[in-house]
Amino acid sequence: MSKIAGAQLYTVRDYTKTAEDLRTTLQRIKAMGYTTVQASGLWHIPVEELAGIARSLELGIVITHTPYERFVEDLDEVVRDHHALGCSIAGIGGLPVQFRSSEGYGAFAKQFNAIAEELGKQGLKFSYHNHHWEFEKHGGRLGMDVLLEETNPETFLFTLDTYWVQAGGADPAAWIRKLKGRIEAIHLKDMTIIDQNQIMTEVMEGNLNWPEILQACEETGVKWYLVERDNGPTDAFDSLRISYENLKQVGFV
Protein backbone atom coordinates (compact mmCIF):
# COMPACT_ATOMS: atom_id res chain seq x y z
CA MET A 1 0.00 0.00 0.00
CA SER A 2 1.24 3.46 -0.85
CA LYS A 3 1.94 5.73 2.08
CA ILE A 4 -0.25 8.84 2.12
CA ALA A 5 1.03 12.20 3.32
CA GLY A 6 -1.65 14.53 4.63
CA ALA A 7 -1.53 18.16 5.77
CA GLN A 8 -2.27 19.22 9.35
CA LEU A 9 -4.23 22.43 8.79
CA TYR A 10 -2.95 24.01 11.99
CA THR A 11 0.13 24.76 9.87
CA VAL A 12 -1.91 27.20 7.77
CA ARG A 13 -4.25 28.42 10.52
CA ASP A 14 -3.63 32.07 9.56
CA TYR A 15 -5.18 31.33 6.15
CA THR A 16 -8.39 29.63 7.29
CA LYS A 17 -10.17 32.49 9.03
CA THR A 18 -13.18 32.38 6.67
CA ALA A 19 -14.79 29.72 4.51
CA GLU A 20 -13.55 31.56 1.41
CA ASP A 21 -9.99 31.58 2.76
CA LEU A 22 -10.29 27.92 3.66
CA ARG A 23 -11.33 26.99 0.13
CA THR A 24 -8.36 28.87 -1.35
CA THR A 25 -6.00 27.28 1.16
CA LEU A 26 -7.28 23.77 0.50
CA GLN A 27 -6.98 24.33 -3.24
CA ARG A 28 -3.31 25.20 -2.75
CA ILE A 29 -2.76 22.16 -0.57
CA LYS A 30 -4.48 19.89 -3.07
CA ALA A 31 -2.30 21.30 -5.86
CA MET A 32 0.82 20.29 -3.91
CA GLY A 33 -0.32 16.66 -4.06
CA TYR A 34 -1.90 16.15 -0.65
CA THR A 35 -5.09 14.09 -0.64
CA THR A 36 -5.92 14.12 3.08
CA VAL A 37 -5.98 16.72 5.85
CA GLN A 38 -6.46 17.09 9.57
CA ALA A 39 -9.10 19.64 10.55
CA SER A 40 -7.67 21.79 13.33
CA GLY A 41 -8.81 25.21 14.50
CA LEU A 42 -11.73 25.20 12.07
CA TRP A 43 -14.77 24.99 14.34
CA HIS A 44 -15.64 28.62 13.56
CA ILE A 45 -16.70 27.40 10.09
CA PRO A 46 -20.07 25.57 9.94
CA VAL A 47 -19.34 21.87 9.75
CA GLU A 48 -21.55 21.33 6.70
CA GLU A 49 -19.65 24.03 4.83
CA LEU A 50 -16.29 22.58 5.88
CA ALA A 51 -17.37 19.12 4.77
CA GLY A 52 -18.68 20.45 1.44
CA ILE A 53 -15.47 22.33 0.63
CA ALA A 54 -13.32 19.29 1.40
CA ARG A 55 -15.54 16.97 -0.65
CA SER A 56 -15.57 19.34 -3.62
CA LEU A 57 -11.77 19.21 -3.68
CA GLU A 58 -11.64 15.44 -3.04
CA LEU A 59 -9.71 15.94 0.19
CA GLY A 60 -10.43 13.45 2.94
CA ILE A 61 -10.64 14.69 6.54
CA VAL A 62 -9.06 11.84 8.49
CA ILE A 63 -8.82 13.29 12.01
CA THR A 64 -9.62 16.47 13.92
CA HIS A 65 -8.32 18.46 16.83
CA THR A 66 -11.36 19.21 18.93
CA PRO A 67 -11.29 21.51 21.99
CA TYR A 68 -11.41 19.89 25.45
CA GLU A 69 -14.57 21.83 26.33
CA ARG A 70 -16.51 20.36 23.43
CA PHE A 71 -15.69 16.80 24.51
CA VAL A 72 -16.88 17.38 28.07
CA GLU A 73 -19.80 19.73 27.40
CA ASP A 74 -21.38 18.52 24.15
CA LEU A 75 -20.16 15.07 23.14
CA ASP A 76 -23.32 14.39 21.11
CA GLU A 77 -22.53 17.35 18.87
CA VAL A 78 -18.91 16.19 18.51
CA VAL A 79 -20.23 12.85 17.28
CA ARG A 80 -22.64 14.48 14.82
CA ASP A 81 -19.92 16.76 13.46
CA HIS A 82 -17.49 13.92 12.87
CA HIS A 83 -20.09 11.85 11.07
CA ALA A 84 -20.90 14.88 8.91
CA LEU A 85 -17.21 15.25 8.05
CA GLY A 86 -16.84 11.55 7.26
CA CYS A 87 -14.10 11.54 9.89
CA SER A 88 -13.66 8.57 12.23
CA ILE A 89 -11.04 9.94 14.66
CA ALA A 90 -11.78 12.74 17.12
CA GLY A 91 -8.50 14.11 18.42
CA ILE A 92 -7.47 16.52 21.14
CA GLY A 93 -4.52 18.84 20.58
CA GLY A 94 -2.92 18.52 23.99
CA LEU A 95 -3.30 18.07 27.72
CA PRO A 96 -5.15 21.01 29.33
CA VAL A 97 -2.97 22.91 31.80
CA GLN A 98 -5.05 21.88 34.80
CA PHE A 99 -4.08 18.22 34.28
CA ARG A 100 -0.31 18.65 34.10
CA SER A 101 0.51 17.18 37.51
CA SER A 102 0.96 13.80 39.19
CA GLU A 103 -2.75 13.57 39.98
CA GLY A 104 -3.81 15.28 36.79
CA TYR A 105 -2.62 12.64 34.34
CA GLY A 106 -4.62 9.96 36.11
CA ALA A 107 -7.69 12.21 36.27
CA PHE A 108 -7.47 13.01 32.56
CA ALA A 109 -6.97 9.34 31.70
CA LYS A 110 -10.07 8.39 33.69
CA GLN A 111 -12.20 11.16 32.20
CA PHE A 112 -11.17 10.59 28.61
CA ASN A 113 -11.16 6.82 28.85
CA ALA A 114 -14.89 7.16 29.48
CA ILE A 115 -15.30 9.71 26.68
CA ALA A 116 -13.31 7.51 24.27
CA GLU A 117 -15.47 4.49 25.12
CA GLU A 118 -18.63 6.51 24.47
CA LEU A 119 -17.21 7.65 21.12
CA GLY A 120 -16.47 4.01 20.35
CA LYS A 121 -20.16 3.16 20.78
CA GLN A 122 -20.85 5.79 18.10
CA GLY A 123 -18.35 4.35 15.61
CA LEU A 124 -15.56 6.84 16.38
CA LYS A 125 -12.15 6.70 18.02
CA PHE A 126 -10.40 9.22 20.26
CA SER A 127 -6.76 10.21 19.70
CA TYR A 128 -4.43 12.11 22.01
CA HIS A 129 -1.72 14.40 20.60
CA ASN A 130 1.41 14.79 22.72
CA HIS A 131 3.80 17.66 23.34
CA HIS A 132 7.02 17.49 25.37
CA TRP A 133 5.53 17.80 28.87
CA GLU A 134 4.20 14.23 28.75
CA PHE A 135 7.82 13.07 29.03
CA GLU A 136 8.23 14.56 32.50
CA LYS A 137 8.13 11.98 35.27
CA HIS A 138 5.44 12.11 37.94
CA GLY A 139 5.85 9.66 40.80
CA GLY A 140 8.39 7.73 38.79
CA ARG A 141 6.21 7.42 35.69
CA LEU A 142 6.16 9.46 32.52
CA GLY A 143 2.90 11.25 31.83
CA MET A 144 2.75 9.35 28.53
CA ASP A 145 2.97 6.05 30.38
CA VAL A 146 0.07 7.00 32.62
CA LEU A 147 -2.07 7.78 29.58
CA LEU A 148 -0.96 4.60 27.84
CA GLU A 149 -1.48 2.28 30.78
CA GLU A 150 -4.71 3.68 32.20
CA THR A 151 -6.82 3.89 29.04
CA ASN A 152 -8.57 1.41 26.74
CA PRO A 153 -6.38 0.46 23.75
CA GLU A 154 -9.46 -0.20 21.64
CA THR A 155 -10.80 3.36 21.74
CA PHE A 156 -8.05 5.63 23.13
CA LEU A 157 -5.39 6.18 20.45
CA PHE A 158 -2.34 8.43 20.19
CA THR A 159 -1.33 10.90 17.48
CA LEU A 160 2.40 10.90 18.12
CA ASP A 161 4.24 14.11 17.25
CA THR A 162 7.82 13.38 16.19
CA TYR A 163 9.18 16.83 17.04
CA TRP A 164 7.68 16.97 20.52
CA VAL A 165 8.84 13.46 21.40
CA GLN A 166 12.38 14.48 20.48
CA ALA A 167 12.00 17.76 22.40
CA GLY A 168 10.98 15.72 25.44
CA GLY A 169 14.25 13.82 25.30
CA ALA A 170 12.69 10.60 24.01
CA ASP A 171 13.13 8.50 20.86
CA PRO A 172 10.31 8.96 18.31
CA ALA A 173 10.85 5.57 16.64
CA ALA A 174 10.90 3.75 19.99
CA TRP A 175 7.64 5.42 21.00
CA ILE A 176 5.99 4.59 17.68
CA ARG A 177 6.81 0.94 18.34
CA LYS A 178 5.65 1.22 21.96
CA LEU A 179 2.27 2.50 20.74
CA LYS A 180 1.76 -0.31 18.22
CA GLY A 181 -1.94 -0.90 17.71
CA ARG A 182 -2.82 2.52 19.13
CA ILE A 183 -1.35 4.87 16.56
CA GLU A 184 -3.29 5.35 13.33
CA ALA A 185 -2.13 8.94 12.68
CA ILE A 186 1.24 10.59 13.23
CA HIS A 187 2.46 14.18 13.03
CA LEU A 188 5.62 14.53 10.99
CA LYS A 189 7.81 17.50 11.76
CA ASP A 190 11.56 17.85 12.03
CA MET A 191 13.93 19.55 14.44
CA THR A 192 17.04 21.57 13.67
CA ILE A 193 19.34 23.74 15.78
CA ILE A 194 19.79 27.43 14.98
CA ASP A 195 21.80 29.71 17.29
CA GLN A 196 21.77 26.94 19.91
CA ASN A 197 17.96 26.79 19.90
CA GLN A 198 15.65 23.94 18.90
CA ILE A 199 13.67 25.01 15.84
CA MET A 200 10.86 23.25 13.99
CA THR A 201 11.65 22.62 10.37
CA GLU A 202 10.39 20.71 7.36
CA VAL A 203 10.45 16.92 7.23
CA MET A 204 13.94 15.63 6.36
CA GLU A 205 15.45 19.11 6.62
CA GLY A 206 16.57 18.68 10.24
CA ASN A 207 18.20 16.12 12.52
CA LEU A 208 15.56 13.48 13.24
CA ASN A 209 16.29 9.90 12.20
CA TRP A 210 13.72 9.61 9.42
CA PRO A 211 14.69 6.18 8.05
CA GLU A 212 14.15 4.70 11.52
CA ILE A 213 10.97 6.72 12.17
CA LEU A 214 9.36 5.72 8.88
CA GLN A 215 10.41 2.09 9.32
CA ALA A 216 8.75 2.08 12.74
CA CYS A 217 5.60 3.56 11.20
CA GLU A 218 5.46 0.77 8.64
CA GLU A 219 6.02 -1.90 11.28
CA THR A 220 3.18 -0.60 13.43
CA GLY A 221 0.65 0.05 10.66
CA VAL A 222 0.38 3.84 10.82
CA LYS A 223 -2.30 4.92 8.32
CA TRP A 224 -2.15 8.71 8.21
CA TYR A 225 1.15 10.60 7.92
CA LEU A 226 0.27 14.21 8.68
CA VAL A 227 2.78 16.95 7.92
CA GLU A 228 2.79 19.83 10.38
CA ARG A 229 4.85 22.82 11.41
CA ASP A 230 3.57 24.92 14.29
CA ASN A 231 5.86 27.86 13.56
CA GLY A 232 9.16 28.69 11.91
CA PRO A 233 10.95 31.01 9.51
CA THR A 234 9.59 29.42 6.31
CA ASP A 235 6.28 30.44 4.74
CA ALA A 236 3.62 27.96 5.88
CA PHE A 237 2.71 26.86 2.35
CA ASP A 238 6.36 26.53 1.35
CA SER A 239 6.85 24.42 4.47
CA LEU A 240 4.08 22.00 3.47
CA ARG A 241 5.40 21.85 -0.08
CA ILE A 242 9.00 21.12 0.95
CA SER A 243 7.93 18.39 3.34
CA TYR A 244 5.67 16.80 0.72
CA GLU A 245 8.40 16.82 -1.92
CA ASN A 246 10.87 15.26 0.50
CA LEU A 247 8.40 12.53 1.47
CA LYS A 248 7.54 11.86 -2.17
CA GLN A 249 11.19 11.11 -2.84
CA VAL A 250 11.05 8.26 -0.33
CA GLY A 251 7.85 6.66 -1.58
CA PHE A 252 4.87 8.76 -0.49
CA VAL A 253 2.12 9.62 -2.99
Side-chain angles (χ1 to χ4, degrees):
M1 180 184 295
S2 298
K3 296 184 287 292
I4 299 172
Q8 211 304 42
L9 296 181
Y10 184 75
T11 308
V12 289
R13 59 194 178 278
D14 292 337
Y15 307 95
T16 59
K17 302 295 188 183
T18 67
E20 183 179 351
D21 289 343
L22 175 64
R23 178 178 291 278
T24 300
T25 291
L26 291 184
Q27 287 172 336
R28 294 180 68 178
I29 287 171
K30 176 73 173 182
M32 293 177 197
Y34 289 103
T35 56
T36 61
V37 297
Q38 175 171 358
S40 181
L42 295 176
W43 299 113
H44 57 285
I45 296 174
V47 68
E48 294 81 6
E49 194 163 6
L50 169 57
I53 293 170
R55 279 196 301 269
S56 71
L57 296 171
E58 298 183 328
L59 282 169
I61 299 175
V62 298
I63 184 173
T64 68
H65 271 174
T66 298
Y68 168 81
E69 292 76 15
R70 295 197 69 213
F71 282 115
V72 299
E73 294 173 6
D74 201 347
L75 193 61
D76 288 342
E77 185 176 48
V78 170
V79 170
R80 288 194 297 271
D81 287 351
H82 281 73
H83 286 318
L85 293 172
C87 176
S88 63
I89 306 176
I92 193 169
L95 189 70
V97 174
Q98 65 267 32
F99 292 105
R100 298 176 199 171
S101 65
S102 297
E103 299 79 14
Y105 277 94
F108 180 88
K110 181 178 180 179
Q111 182 181 37
F112 271 78
N113 194 52
I115 287 172
E117 292 189 2
E118 183 58 35
L119 290 172
K121 296 175 185 177
Q122 304 297 327
L124 302 176
K125 293 181 180 181
F126 172 78
S127 194
Y128 177 88
H129 171 268
N130 68 279
H131 289 83
H132 58 310
W133 47 72
E134 292 87 352
F135 296 93
E136 180 178 351
K137 286 188 176 180
H138 298 274
R141 281 202 297 172
L142 296 178
M144 278 290 283
D145 282 328
V146 176
L147 298 177
L148 178 63
E149 294 163 8
E150 297 187 11
T151 54
N152 183 348
E154 297 298 321
T155 53
F156 190 112
L157 307 180
F158 291 84
T159 304
L160 201 72
D161 186 300
T162 57
Y163 174 93
W164 287 117
V165 175
Q166 189 78 31
D171 179 350
W175 267 93
I176 292 166
R177 293 186 172 103
K178 188 170 183 176
L179 294 172
K180 184 176 182 180
R182 302 185 68 173
I183 177 170
E184 294 189 8
I186 189 166
H187 280 183
L188 304 183
K189 68 177 75 144
D190 212 336
M191 177 189 290
T192 191
I193 303 296
I194 299 176
D195 294 331
Q196 303 179 52
N197 295 311
Q198 295 176 346
I199 302 295
M200 292 180 185
T201 192
E202 289 66 48
V203 177
M204 301 181 187
E205 297 291 322
N207 298 321
L208 268 62
N209 186 349
W210 288 103
E212 188 67 15
I213 288 170
L214 296 177
Q215 178 62 36
C217 287
E218 289 204 44
E219 291 174 11
T220 54
V222 172
K223 296 180 181 180
W224 313 114
Y225 297 74
L226 299 159
V227 171
E228 182 182 33
R229 195 208 62 195
D230 302 14
N231 51 63
T234 312
D235 172 80
F237 291 100
D238 285 343
S239 180
L240 289 175
R241 177 183 53 77
I242 292 166
S243 289
Y244 182 84
E245 290 175 354
N246 288 346
L247 286 167
K248 188 175 181 180
Q249 299 224 355
V250 294
F252 284 77
V253 297

